[in-house]
Each structure stands twice: as structure tokens, then as C-alpha cells.
Amino acid sequence: MNAIRGIAASPGIAIGTAVIVAESLSQVSFRQVAPEEVAEERTRLEAALAESAAELTELRDASAATMGREAAAIFDFHLGLLRDRSLVGAIVADIEREQVCAEYAASENFVKFADRLRALPDPMFQERAGDVVDLERRVVSKLIGASGKRLKDLGGPAVVIAHELTPSQTAEFHRAKVVAFATDAGGLTGHTSIIARALAMPAVVGCKDATVQVEDGDLVIVDGDAGQLVVRPDEAVLAHYRALAHRSEARRGALREGADLPSVTRDGTTVHLLGNIEFPDEITAVLANGGSGVGLYRTEFLYLTSPRVPTEEEHYRAYARAVELCAGRTLVIRTLDLGADKYTQEHLEEPERNPFLGLRSIRFCLQNPALFRTQLRALLRASALGPIKVMLPLVSNVMELRQTRMMVHDLCEDLDEEGIRYDRNLQIGIMIEVPSAALMARTLATESAFFSVGTNDLIQYTLAVDRGNERVAPLYNGANPAVLTLIKASVRAAANAGIDCSLCGELAGEPLFTCLLLGFGFRTLSMAPAQIPAVKRVVRATTIEHCELIARKVGSFDSDRQVLSYLQDELRKVDPDAVNLDG
Ligand code: PEP
Ligand code: MG
């Protein structure tokens, strides 16, 4: 038995059979195979090479007919590489000698081959390195596709073990078969973790080398409460975890029972608890957990789960469905937050060097006006069906808000000419996710209909800590006084300007922070639906007066440790069960 420590990304305990999935082309997982599996890996490789050759022959013939012989010669070169014994022979030799899976052997040797070409003095050979990379993608994706297909043929409950998973891969898991997952990479507020929580699927990320330590078919336990992956447990450990799983489910059941009670503090202040969603159908879960609407609908998932760019109609249908399910309740729809770890890099020939500081979110939309207009027009049309608020992600200066408003204004004129109805008072608000926005909150508040503080990004940009990087995960901390100062400045600026300010980062769903946030002045918190009952319990057990006292006290601390231990003590007084659940 072996226990691998990671980050508790999504709560719950699940027991199942490990399925190793190598899904990221840039990071094909290393997987050792048993001696008796070597022949099967060779066969998989041969099948992938044959399938690639058939595709390339077809491509060559089609391009010869339409684009001429020069274009066709490129594919002839690819075909030639597939027959190159020094390349293919080296892949086979690695499978046999090193006993590694076919995708790893193929990827390694393609990369080495490309490096050799790049090192040659003749520029003609250097350029060919790009062809080798292209061919690698073709062949390796076939091998990986095969491991993806294996997921569909699973019998019992499976636990996916991967180096890294994209948010869309996670969203597409077959729920009846995949009960949990664990990854080598990733952090608590990475989007894959957020999806896991939305699916209520136990998950542990940042395990560093789970794909090396776990073998396909191993019995594993994902402990999403403690952040642990247990490999090949003995009977006693299994029994212990079965009992834990039972207790954890009972606790969640008890919390859900109080979900429908009013979200009001003991001294009579209403706190709006809303849900964060990625797909309209999650609204059912928001309401079932006692939420009073949607505070963040991450619309980029329309892109992330589709092989092509969604049309205006597809956008419209999704928003119309959300309006219908919300039935008049609050519905805040965020415009596309693409970029960084979401979507755009896979579609670029040359990925950005620093994508989290690059062309993402509102910047990406403003530089792709056709794509942005499609979404804004669909949003305007859907606003005729029921209340909608539009929220812009990652605004870092006032010009981005003004430019968007101008686009919306032009679109309204078009709709007027076409006689199409829309909400003439559509509210456009912004997320406060970067320090520049928090520091300029007073100015932004004069032009924005509302704020929502996105702490997931605000923490990473304030502390210069990548939210998805397991190596710096301990530094990523919402209790850091610098972060708290910016949160407080944002909510104060909003109050002074008379606009609403909610908080929709993962911090909103942590009972540990509930009193502090109420003390800062927040009256709306938006979170993963499953977190609503636990936060509501704290709201109902406290008073605003006490929360304000907590906020004042926290203002005098200078380290995150002090803040955390004080908040833990306070929460223990208000709701001891919540502390047990957290810790
Ligand atoms: C945030 O950054 O806090 C947020 C809610 O947005 P996302 O997690 O989608 O980046
Ligand atoms: Mg964000």
C-alpha cells in the first residue's frame, strides 16, 4: 500500500480501479508496462502508424489535386518519416527494451528526432523539424485516443489517473463510469478542480507522480477531503475508508436538509447565496442546494466542450435555457473568459510565452470583435426573456469597460433596426480579479453597474502565484493580508458608489471565510452549488455585529497564518461541525 499526498480539489471519497489516461499531447504520461504487455504496445503502435499513413496518403492525393505537387510533397515527407527505420525502429526498441507504453516511446523519439534536425546547420533541415512535430501529434493522438476510448469500455467504477486534465476533458467524463480522478499537476482553483466540484466528483490534484506510482488496474482510493490518493490498500485500510465515505456522505446529507432554510443572520440581515455554474442544467443543483440564483455563469464552457466555435443561435439557446431555469431569479452571465488555461493556447501555432499575463478574457474578446459580438448579441436577445446581468472578466482598466459598452450600444442599434426585443436597462458589471482593478475600484464603480470579486485570479495576480501550479500551491492563500486589503477596498468602493458587490471566487464557498466576508460588507456570495448549505449554516449562526468585529481584528494581523488560525477559532465558536468538515 502507498499513500500519495496531493491537494484536496473536490470533496468526497471514492474507491475504484485506476485507469491511466495520457491525454495531454505536450505531456504524454510515462507508463511502465509489464513484460507480457510489450507485444500489445507494439501492436498499438503499428495500428497508429498504419492509420496515420492512410490519412496522410488521402491528404497527399487530395492536396495534389487541389493545391499542386509542392503541397503534396509535404505529406510525402511525412509518409517517408513513417517508414524511416531510424525513427520507427527507435520507438519499437524503446517499447521493448525500456518496457514503456507506446505513446511515451513515440513522443520521446519524435521529439529527439526533431531536436536533431533543428541542430543541423542547413536551414532546410531545421524547417523540417516542424513537420516532425506535426507528425508526432498525429501519431500520438491516435495512441492517446485509444486510451480515451478505453474509458468508454470500462465495467466497474473507474478512477482516472492522469498527468493533467483539461477542464473540458473532465466535463466529458462518463459519470456512470468515472467516480473520481487524481492528477500529477494542478492546483485548488485551477479550472479542472472547479469542474470536479461542479460535478461533485471527488478529486485530488497536484500528486506530482501519481502516473508513475499507480499502475493501470490498481485498486485506488481518492480521498478528496484529506487530499490523498491511496494505492493498493489492504483490507483494513479499505474498511476504514468505506466507513469514512459513509460518514462524509451522512454529514453532507444533514447539511442538505438545512438547505432550504432562509439565508439570514441571527440579527436579521439577508445574505444572498448564489451558485457558480458552467452549464445551464447545473441551475437545478443550485436551487436544490438552497441557492437563490446564479452569481457566475462561466460561458466559455460553450467553447470548451464543442469541437467548433458556437454560433449565435447556440449561445442564445444556452442563455434562454438558463433564464428559463432561473425563473426570474438573479442570473449573472459572464462573457467569454477564454485564454490562459482555457482553449486559446491549443488553437495557436505558437503558444504564448506567458498566457496568464497574455491575451485572455476581455482582452481576447476585444481583439476578436466578431466572436465577441456574436456572444453579446445572443445575450441581448436573451435579455428579453427574463432578468440577466452581464459581467466582464479580468477587466484591468476602464477602457475595456468603455469599449465593451460601445459594442453593446452598436448592437442595440442593429437590434432596434431589425425590430428585435432586448432589455434596454441591461446591467453590465465587471469582475475585480486583478490588483489594478481593485486599486482603481473607485473609478470603475462610477461606470460599472456592479462588481464581483474573483478571488481565484485576484490571489494569483496579487501574490504572483500561479493558481494551477502544485509547486507553489502553499503560497496561494486567500488569507494573505495583501489579498484581503484589495478585497476590502473593492467592496468599500462599491458601497460608496452605491453599487452591488458580490464575491464569486472559491473563497466564497469556504465557511472559514464567511464571517470575515460579511464583516467586510459583502451581502452576496456566489459559489459551487454543493458549498451553499455549509455557508448558509454559518450565515444563520452568526450576527453582522460579530462579523464586523472579526473583520476589524483581522485588519490588525500581518500574516496569513495569524488570519487563518484566528478564523478557525472563530468558526469553531459559531459552527464546530464546519471546522471538522474543513479540517
Ligand atoms: C475568479 O477568478 O475568481 C473567478 C471566479 O473566475 P474563474 O475561476 O473562472 O477564473
Ligand atoms: Mg477568474
Side-chain angles (χ1 to χ4, degrees):
M1 193 196 90
N2 186 6
I4 305 171
R5 277 218 70 80
I7 298 164
S10 177
I13 290 168
I15 303 170
T17 310
V19 177
I20 314 266
V21 178
E23 290 292 358
S24 161
L25 276 181
S26 57
Q27 187 85 47
V28 173
S29 293
F30 172 86
R31 181 164 57 90
Q32 198 87 59
V33 296
E36 61 275 18
E37 289 168 343
V38 165
E40 193 192 321
E41 290 305 299
R42 246 188 10 230
T43 312
R44 287 179 60 224
L45 174 72
E46 277 154 20
L49 294 176
E51 207 184 319
S52 302
E55 276 175 12
L56 286 164
T57 309
E58 222 174 88
L59 261 173
R60 181 203 49 203
D61 296 347
S63 46
T66 55
M67 292 184 275
R69 279 190 35 212
E70 209 178 329
I74 297 172
F75 299 114
D76 262 333
F77 176 68
H78 287 206
L79 279 163
L81 280 174
L82 287 182
R83 288 189 294 269
D84 187 320
R85 289 319 302 168
S86 71
L87 176 61
V88 178
I91 303 175
V92 174
D94 271 5
I95 295 176
E96 289 175 343
R97 259 201 323 265
E98 313 289 332
Q99 295 180 1
V100 292
C101 62
E103 52 269 38
Y104 184 79
S107 178
E108 283 281 293
N109 283 286
F110 272 113
V111 169
K112 274 191 217 150
F113 199 88
D115 286 346
R116 278 209 300 277
L117 288 179
R118 276 192 206 100
L120 293 174
D122 186 337
M124 197 192 78
F125 283 117
Q126 291 169 5
E127 278 166 25
R128 290 300 195 196
D131 289 288
V132 176
V133 173
D134 194 7
L135 187 61
E136 182 216 349
R137 281 174 181 267
R138 186 181 295 280
V139 174
V140 173
S141 72
K142 306 242 162 347
L143 291 161
I144 284 172
S147 79
K149 265 187 239 130
R150 270 186 323 132
L151 276 179
K152 299 202 177 78
D153 307 329
L154 296 168
V159 172
V160 170
I161 310 284
H163 177 77
E164 194 168 19
L165 291 167
T166 65
S168 46
Q169 282 170 333
T170 314
E172 281 166 359
F173 279 157
H174 195 314
R175 293 307 316 282
K177 293 175 177 171
V178 179
V179 293
F181 71 83
T183 56
D184 295 342
L188 186 61
T189 61
H191 287 97
T192 303
S193 305
I194 289 174
I195 291 289
R197 287 193 285 277
L199 295 171
M201 178 181 280
V204 179
V205 300
C207 297
K208 298 197 175 77
D209 61 353
T211 49
V212 177
Q213 295 202 40
V214 181
E215 282 179 22
D216 226 34
D218 275 347
L219 184 67
V220 291
I221 302 168
V222 172
D223 180 350
D225 296 328
Q228 197 155 247
L229 175 68
V230 183
V231 190
R232 299 181 286 275
D234 57 28
E235 263 315 310
V237 172
L238 253 180
H240 167 73
Y241 273 98
R242 285 201 182 108
L244 264 187
H246 186 72
R247 273 212 303 277
S248 148
E249 195 33 58
R251 215 156 34 193
R252 271 173 243 289
L255 272 176
R256 272 195 300 268
E257 270 171 28
D260 287 333
L261 297 170
S263 178
V264 180
T265 59
R266 271 177 31 225
D267 50 355
T269 299
T270 297
V271 179
H272 304 280
L273 301 183
L274 308 174
N276 293 350
I277 62 163
E278 287 72 34
F279 308 98
D281 287 342
E282 283 177 78
I283 293 171
T284 324
V286 174
L287 302 181
N289 279 292
S292 56
V294 170
L296 168 65
Y297 171 9
R298 295 182 163 103
T299 58
E300 54 277 7
F301 282 85
L302 275 171
Y303 280 71
L304 299 172
T305 51
S306 160
R308 51 182 181 77
V309 174
T311 61
E312 181 183 321
E313 261 335 282
E314 284 164 339
H315 277 284
Y316 176 74
R317 275 203 298 275
Y319 308 148
R321 172 93 181 126
V323 172
E324 183 193 340
L325 289 170
C326 272
R329 297 178 181 87
T330 302
L331 172 57
V332 182
I333 306 185
R334 181 175 73 183
T335 57
L336 298 167
D337 190 13
L338 295 169
D341 61 342
K342 291 184 269 192
Y343 183 81
T344 51
Q345 301 304 305
E346 303 148 36
H347 296 257
L348 288 177
E349 260 178 32
E350 221 177 285
E352 289 179 289
R353 253 181 310 168
N354 211 339
F356 278 92
L357 301 181
L359 192 61
R360 63 168 293 200
S361 314
I362 189 71
R363 305 168 185 177
F364 180 81
C365 286
L366 290 170
Q367 282 201 28
N368 290 276
L371 167 138
F372 199 18
R373 265 191 225 106
T374 303
Q375 176 175 42
L376 291 173
R377 204 178 130 98
L379 280 169
L380 280 164
R381 285 173 52 205
S383 72
L385 307 172
I388 281 180
K389 292 182 192 177
V390 171
M391 180 157 78
L392 313 180
L394 211 90
V395 168
S396 58
N397 64 63
V398 72
M399 290 312 292
E400 289 162 339
L401 174 59
R402 288 185 191 152
Q403 265 177 285
T404 307
R405 284 185 165 295
M406 262 158 55
M407 279 174 95
V408 171
H409 179 263
D410 291 349
L411 286 166
C412 289
E413 282 186 352
D414 293 349
L415 292 174
D416 281 337
E417 272 175 32
E418 293 166 51
I420 297 175
R421 284 187 329 116
Y422 60 90
D423 175 6
R424 291 184 181 277
N425 298 313
L426 182 71
Q427 288 194 20
I428 301 180
I430 62 167
M431 290 193 69
I432 304 285
E433 302 184 272
V434 289
S436 63
L439 293 167
M440 292 297 287
R442 250 177 48 190
T443 309
L444 287 164
T446 61
E447 302 195 27
S448 185
F450 60 91
F451 283 169
S452 188
V453 182
T455 44
N456 303 342
D457 276 313
L458 187 62
I459 297 169
Q460 82 165 339
Y461 291 123
T462 306
L463 304 179
V465 177
D466 179 347
R467 65 193 259 189
N469 183 342
E470 69 284 1
R471 291 179 210 187
V472 285
L475 293 174
Y476 183 95
N477 196 336
N480 185 298
V483 175
L484 296 177
T485 304
L486 293 179
I487 296 176
K488 198 160 65 182
S490 309
V491 70
R492 292 251 165 101
N496 289 338
I499 63 169
D500 286 340
C501 181
S502 68
L503 191 142
C504 65
E506 297 299 301
L507 223 54
E510 289 188 36
L512 191 63
F513 285 85
T514 307
C515 290
L516 177 63
L517 296 176
L518 297 187
F520 281 166
F522 286 97
R523 295 294 176 266
T524 306
L525 301 172
S526 190
M527 63 204 80
Q531 293 304 110
I532 295 173
V535 172
K536 190 180 278 186
R537 229 174 108 116
V538 179
V539 168
R540 291 177 54 79
T542 190
T543 63
I544 294 296
E545 199 187 339
H546 184 63
C547 293
E548 284 173 350
L549 194 136
I550 291 177
R552 274 200 298 280
K553 180 94 179 157
V554 163
S556 69
F557 295 146
D558 52 19
S559 80
D560 48 359
R561 275 199 197 181
Q562 259 177 317
V563 174
L564 285 175
S565 90
Y566 172 67
L567 291 182
Q568 238 143 19
D569 288 347
E570 287 302 316
L571 182 59
R572 201 165 283 123
K573 288 183 209 155
V574 174
D575 183 4
D577 279 357
V579 179
N580 295 338
L581 211 64
D582 265 19

